[in-house]
Amino acid sequence: MDGSESGELTAAAVLSGAPVDLQARTARIYRPAKTATQSGDWHGHHWRMDWDILQKGHRWENPLMGWQSSADFLQGTHLNFKTKEDAIRFAQKQGYEYFVQEPNERRIVPKAYANNFLHSPKKLKKIPTK
């Protein structure tokens, strides 16, 4: 792809002069889950796009501090979008390969404190304390 092909969609990365290794990266589009310590809906209505991690030889240990270093400039980079369609449109316009990871929806089981004291015709449970 050099930008001279006929078609309705030309990748912006081709025209912008972005590095070739950026064009070969696969992007993941997903909706992040809320952390376990939060209640409510956490404003979790946005979608995020990040890139896969480079595997071979792009990490090394810093000899001074012992920290892990990386040559991967996209490792901590992510983009936020309002909708899944916006993220897909952006990835297509940039010419990225991408996949969409659908979110797992929460199943809320209705519970009531009064259900702990309902009568059941079974035998009583004896719970030893020692």
Side-chain angles (χ1 to χ4, degrees), residues 46-58:
H46 66 279
W47 287 77
R48 179 177 283 183
M49 183 172 83
D50 60 9
W51 288 267
D52 60 346
I53 297 173
L54 294 177
Q55 299 296 327
K56 303 176 186 171
H58 293 280

Side-chain angles (χ1 to χ4, degrees), residues 26-44:
T26 303
R28 174 177 68 138
I29 298 171
Y30 65 101
R31 194 167 79 190
K34 72 180 188 81
T35 61
T37 59
Q38 294 178 340
S39 61
D41 63 359
W42 178 70
H43 305 289

Side-chain angles (χ1 to χ4, degrees), residues 1-17 23 93:
M1 285 182 66
D2 63 355
S4 63
E5 294 84 23
S6 62
E8 69 181 63
L9 189 64
T10 300
V14 173
L15 303 175
S16 69
Q23 296 174 19
K93 186 174 181 182

